[in-house]
Amino acid sequence: MRERLLAAEKIKAIEWRDGTLHLLDQRLLPLEETWRAYDSAVEVAGAIRDMVVRGAPAIGISAAYGVVLGARQRLAAGGDWRAALEEDFRALAGSRPTAVNLFWALDRMRERLARLKEGEGVLAALEAEAVGIHESDREANLTMAQLGVELIRKHSGNPQALLTHCNAGALATGGFGTALGVIRAAWLEGLVERVYADETRPWLQGARLTAWELVEEGVPVSLNVDGAAAHLMKTKGVSWVIVGADRITADGDVANKIGTYQLAVVAMHHGVRFMVVAPSSTIDMSLQSGEEIPIEERDGRELLEIGGKRVAASVEAVNPVFDVTPADLIDAIVTERGVVERPNAAKMAELMSRKRLH
Ligand code: MRU
């Protein structure tokens, strides 16, 4: 299956070329495909904050390249470049709070710096580390896609209706996608009759990004308002809800795009299976439970306005952009290290003690 998946890997959102980071501006998709070039860590932090790049693994990969850019600038400026680089680490870490992949990638870059040998080229070492983070995410996507397909097939080998939320596809990762990677692979294996894509208010990652990715690849997809999910589960024979994650705790609780929690509650009511697909860089064993996950709140104008035009009454808006699904509502967490069914603390600890499968 790996070769078929690689052949289907077409969409990219991140490119590192000639020492510059290129990002596909996801705010403009699907109407415009505009690439932007970044030469400094502060600019990359701004791109993450402003959602030019989004999706947990993609944020982590971009931040890693941001450190390379920061180091290059600081070294060129002379003086105490290590102290100056701390400002870049701070700017990148302050860009968004929920996806742990960002902090995981920054930690890896920091550790690489700490391991530098006498006379070793700083920039070459950091660049190799960032490229390694990017490449290993791509590999992890392929492994998860295969594991997710096996899980779907274990329950039924027939074409089936799947529902997804937000965008956990190629645009959100370094490769094939997490949740959307499983869905894509399931389509290639003849296991998909139709995908229902929640539009995902207020940023419309489902309408703009997931629908675009699936249409580009010829996967049958219908777009629905977020509030239609329960009705679709009841009337369209949805067999799986498949979503990505921004942070998974030691207990197996999952933070993901706002609306994921209510999907899991509704899925349980309808006997629909609930799968979370995420690389182990999304697992934060330092937090025991979901209550400890910082939940990003964004500007209320994201709800009050559409395309810069006011649509709501004169009212205060509350705009948490992630929520936490408790482990006991989750059937399976699929990672590149393996699959955890009915997650709990013991199973998460065992998973994290394993080596990568690939
Ligand atoms: O606000 P976003 O678009 O960065 O939120 C993205 C999500 O919630 C995704 O589901 C998650 O990051 C997984 S992406 C593989």
Side-chain angles (χ1 to χ4, degrees):
M1 196 197 299
R2 193 174 187 280
E3 296 316 309
R4 288 183 76 192
L5 296 184
L6 278 173
E9 207 186 44
K10 291 181 204 127
I11 297 168
K12 267 191 196 157
I14 305 173
E15 269 184 29
W16 176 252
R17 231 183 314 119
D18 305 325
T20 299
L21 178 64
H22 299 264
L23 298 173
L24 177 60
D25 190 338
Q26 300 193 32
R27 301 167 303 181
L28 306 178
L29 288 172
L31 302 180
E32 233 181 81
E33 287 179 44
T34 301
W35 283 84
R36 300 193 189 281
Y38 296 88
D39 285 312
S40 78
V42 171
E43 283 172 0
V44 174
I48 295 172
R49 184 194 58 234
D50 298 342
M51 311 271 287
V52 172
V53 61
R54 32 66 51 203
I59 293 173
I61 294 162
S62 303
Y65 287 126
V67 172
V68 183
L69 296 171
R72 190 171 63 201
Q73 266 197 335
R74 304 300 183 177
L75 279 162
D80 189 351
W81 64 270
R82 278 180 186 266
L85 188 58
E86 281 308 311
E87 281 176 39
D88 291 330
F89 272 106
R90 268 195 297 279
L92 289 162
S95 57
R96 291 191 77 188
T98 304
V100 78
N101 307 60
L102 171 69
F103 308 101
W104 171 87
L106 292 177
D107 283 351
R108 263 191 61 170
M109 297 305 282
R110 197 187 285 283
E111 278 160 24
R112 187 63 192 90
L113 268 179
R115 281 201 321 273
L116 277 179
K117 295 196 192 77
E118 188 72 32
E120 194 180 2
V122 181
L123 289 180
L126 289 179
E127 180 173 355
E129 191 68 14
V131 170
I133 288 173
H134 195 166
E135 273 306 306
S136 63
D137 188 63
R138 189 172 169 223
E139 278 299 325
N141 283 189
L142 292 169
T143 306
M144 291 185 286
Q146 294 171 69
L147 293 175
V149 164
E150 280 168 27
L151 191 61
I152 293 174
R153 193 180 275 122
K154 192 168 102 179
H155 293 281
S156 165
N158 297 326
Q160 45 203 291
L162 310 174
L163 188 142
T164 190
H165 191 67
C166 195
N167 172 268
L171 294 168
T173 64
F176 200 65
T178 57
L180 221 51
V182 169
I183 291 173
R184 247 187 205 121
W187 161 250
L188 293 173
E189 294 292 301
L191 291 168
V192 177
E193 182 184 281
R194 177 151 298 273
V195 180
Y196 293 97
D198 281 356
E199 65 174 347
T200 318
R201 281 275 290 149
W203 267 82
L204 301 178
Q205 288 93 333
R208 297 189 303 102
L209 310 177
T210 295
W212 181 69
E213 285 198 36
L214 294 178
V215 167
E216 286 283 300
E217 301 204 355
V219 182
V221 54
S222 300
L223 180 67
N224 55 272
V225 295
D226 300 327
H231 176 74
L232 293 175
M233 287 184 208
K234 191 171 166 187
T235 59
K236 300 289 187 193
V238 173
S239 55
W240 284 93
V241 172
I242 307 181
V243 294
D246 287 85
R247 199 185 290 232
I248 303 176
T249 67
D251 282 347
D253 297 338
V254 171
N256 190 47
K257 180 53 57 194
I258 192 77
T260 303
Y261 174 31
Q262 66 195 25
L263 274 182
V265 172
V266 165
M268 180 150 281
H269 179 78
H270 290 96
V272 172
R273 292 191 176 82
F274 195 90
M275 185 195 305
V276 175
V277 189
S280 53
S281 53
T282 305
I283 300 175
D284 181 357
M285 294 299 278
S286 76
L287 300 187
Q288 195 62 42
S289 92
E291 280 166 35
E292 297 163 60
I293 299 175
I295 298 293
E296 180 180 7
E297 297 244 1
R298 292 182 73 93
D299 197 319
R301 276 180 302 185
E302 292 181 355
L303 274 73
L304 301 171
E305 298 174 359
I306 292 181
K309 192 167 179 282
R310 179 99 191 180
V311 290
S314 180
V315 63
E316 187 193 296
V318 54
N319 188 20
V321 300
F322 298 100
D323 60 24
V324 175
T325 301
D328 58 8
L329 294 178
I330 296 168
D331 288 287
I333 297 179
V334 175
T335 78
E336 83 287 4
R337 295 188 191 210
V339 176
V340 174
E341 295 198 48
R342 311 283 342 149
N344 60 28
K347 292 181 192 174
M348 292 305 295
E350 194 278 322
L351 176 85
M352 292 308 280
S353 70
R354 287 186 215 165
K355 290 252 180 312
R356 285 170 177 266
L357 281 181
H358 55 255

